[in-house]
């Protein structure tokens, strides 16, 4: 189990995590992206299959729900996602987590997080 985040002085939860089954025999390495205070809700892992020369990049992300401070927080996160996609374009990049974005899939109206998510998806990654 790998995790990060949750500002210590806040009483509410926070952060992101990833659980990987040991039997899969993956070598995991966290990739540092930005300053800790900017990316506590983004975990980027390089996953290499031992003895198979395979590698994927896993991104676990939480975008703040819409509200007064959400834009200020989220505007720092999307450039980090875009940087990861660009830097690791030679590998499959999988982004997962809670993006709090509405993208019309269920007939709902697109929200601001949804617009940003669509723009990142257009960079050819798997979401």
């Amino acid at each position: 189990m790998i995790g990060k985040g949750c500002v210590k002085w806040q009483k509410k939860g926070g952060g992101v995590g990833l659980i990987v089954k040991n039997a899969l025999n993956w070598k995991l390495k966290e990739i540092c992206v930005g300053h800790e205070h900017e990316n506590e809700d983004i975990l980027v892992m390089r996953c290499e299959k031992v003895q198979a020369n395979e590698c994927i990049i896993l991104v676990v992300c939480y975008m703040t729900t819409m509200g007064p401070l959400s834009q200020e927080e989220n505007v720092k996160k999307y450039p980090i996602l875009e940087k990861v996609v660009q830097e690791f374009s030679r590998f499959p990049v999988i982004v997962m987590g809670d993006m709090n974005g509405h993208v019309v899939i269920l007939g709902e109206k697109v929200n601001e997080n949804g617009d940003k998510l669509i723009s990142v998806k257009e960079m050819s990654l798997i979401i």
Side-chain angles (χ1 to χ4, degrees):
M1 185 167 171
I2 303 157
K4 68 180 286 186
C6 190
V7 178
K8 293 179 177 140
W9 60 84
Q10 290 181 345
K11 294 183 179 181
K12 293 184 177 182
V16 292
L18 178 66
I19 299 173
V20 178
K21 187 175 180 179
N22 284 339
L24 295 177
N25 210 13
W26 286 91
K27 179 182 170 187
L28 304 174
K29 180 182 177 191
E30 183 176 354
I31 298 169
C32 297
V33 288
H35 301 289
E36 186 65 30
H37 68 278
E38 293 174 344
N39 69 355
E40 72 173 11
D41 291 331
I42 300 176
L43 174 66
V44 181
M45 299 296 298
R46 179 186 175 107
C47 307
E48 294 182 42
K49 186 73 169 165
V50 177
Q51 301 173 341
N53 201 23
E54 295 176 25
C55 180
I56 60 173
I57 305 299
L58 293 178
V59 181
V60 183
C61 183
Y62 171 77
M63 291 296 169
T64 308
T65 55
M66 303 310 290
L69 297 177
S70 67
Q71 284 307 84
E72 183 179 323
E73 289 182 31
N74 290 345
V75 78
K76 297 174 188 174
K77 297 174 189 175
Y78 278 100
I80 293 171
L81 288 178
E82 291 169 356
K83 179 181 174 187
V84 169
V85 171
Q86 290 170 352
E87 280 187 28
F88 297 97
S89 62
R90 65 189 181 278
F91 302 112
V93 177
I94 301 172
V95 176
M96 60 187 121
D98 187 351
M99 306 306 239
N100 282 307
H102 298 261
V103 293
V104 187
I105 292 174
L106 300 173
E108 58 213 354
K109 185 177 176 183
V110 176
N111 66 5
E112 212 163 324
N113 282 348
D115 279 335
K116 290 178 183 164
L117 182 59
I118 290 167
S119 71
V120 171
K121 196 239 182 265
E122 290 171 353
M123 298 178 77
S124 300
L125 50 94
I126 302 166
I127 299 183

